[in-house]
Amino acid sequence: MAIRFEDVPWYTFSFWSDMVVVCPKCGKAGIVRFDRERRMAFFWCESCCTKKETSVDGNHASTVTAQCTSTGKYFQAFVPDAKIHGQKVRVKCRYCKESVIGDVLDDKEKQYMVFQDMRRAEDPYFCYPLYFQASYRGKTVWALNREHLQYLIDYLTADIRTLPPNFYENYGTMRSQSDALPAFMKAAKNRDGIVKLLTKLQAK
């Protein structure tokens, strides 16, 4: 029987999620949590009781919607507010990288924080290495926490991948969590090997 998988919105696992990291003091698993209301990030390790906190002054970004003139596809982008001067802004298509004009959404509740790239597999607040990470053919595979780790396994082992009904109406976006996955993880030739690697990480 085919294994079905329903995807979730792209922000389900993000910088606002609890992140399991390597404690800089004892090397065991610690937790990094972001308090959105207080704009503070906290770290604590249950093993050695190390605790830290820091204020977060990340830049804000607004949502931009656009339609690619080459592919005809609609997409969303997030542009730092410092680069926005009006209701129109030029963005690159997510699918073909063509530069097109998009509309800035006038909904301040849908602003997002812009942080450094996570390709280094570190949390963006303290820069501690993520606990669930390993190398696969020279590329880093990582998960923010156990829930994210299970999501990756479920996605990669599925035979049929779909979006739930009324996805856009319920979540206000057509971008799913899997859209953020790098191409090498989605490649059929790599899936079995990556699943074995992720399964080993579950045992940590």
Side-chain angles (χ1 to χ4, degrees):
M1 181 179 294
I3 301 174
R4 300 183 65 88
F5 174 85
E6 283 195 347
D7 216 333
V8 294
W10 66 269
Y11 49 76
T12 303
F13 302 105
S14 68
F15 297 115
W16 292 336
S17 306
D18 284 359
M19 289 171 272
V20 183
V21 299
V22 178
C23 175
K25 186 174 181 179
C26 70
K28 296 184 178 180
I31 300 293
V32 170
R33 175 171 294 168
F34 177 53
D35 187 324
R36 294 173 63 177
E37 292 185 0
R38 298 171 59 188
R39 296 176 61 80
M40 296 283 293
F42 302 88
F43 165 80
W44 72 93
C45 175
E46 292 185 355
S47 298
C48 66
C49 298
T50 296
K51 294 182 179 181
K52 289 188 177 182
E53 63 180 52
T54 184
S55 60
V56 178
D57 296 319
N59 297 320
H60 280 88
S62 293
T63 306
V64 176
T65 60
Q67 182 181 22
C68 179
T69 54
S70 295
T71 66
K73 294 182 178 180
Y74 287 91
F75 66 93
Q76 290 182 337
F78 305 102
V79 180
D81 286 349
K83 295 184 178 181
I84 294 178
H85 306 285
Q87 294 302 309
K88 301 282 186 180
V89 65
R90 188 170 291 276
V91 293
K92 287 186 177 180
C93 173
R94 289 175 43 220
Y95 304 98
C96 70
K97 305 305 180 183
E98 179 183 347
S99 180
V100 297
I101 297 296
D103 298 310
V104 179
L105 291 185
D106 191 25
D107 186 353
K108 297 303 180 182
E109 294 300 319
K110 292 187 177 181
Q111 287 186 328
Y112 300 93
M113 295 293 290
V114 179
F115 294 104
Q116 64 192 54
D117 201 321
M118 280 196 69
R119 284 180 293 183
R120 291 183 297 178
E122 300 175 342
D123 84 88
Y125 312 109
F126 302 96
C127 296
Y128 295 157
L130 294 177
Y131 187 72
F132 298 114
Q133 66 168 292
S135 179
Y136 181 79
R137 296 183 179 179
K139 297 183 181 294
T140 302
V141 176
W142 52 264
L144 296 175
N145 49 46
R146 289 195 180 276
E147 293 76 15
H148 188 206
L149 189 59
Q150 186 62 55
Y151 165 87
L152 295 174
I153 294 173
D154 292 343
Y155 174 82
L156 293 173
T157 56
D159 299 307
I160 302 173
R161 303 174 183 86
T162 62
L163 295 178
N166 302 317
F167 188 86
Y168 179 80
E169 289 78 4
N170 291 335
Y171 302 113
T173 179
M174 285 305 297
R175 190 181 182 193
S176 65
Q177 188 72 54
S178 62
D179 288 333
L181 295 180
F184 82 90
M185 288 188 69
K186 297 181 179 181
K189 64 179 180 180
N190 294 330
R191 288 177 193 163
D192 289 344
I194 293 177
V195 169
K196 290 180 181 179
L197 187 64
L198 295 173
T199 302
K200 289 182 179 179
L201 289 178
Q202 280 187 315
K204 292 185 70 175

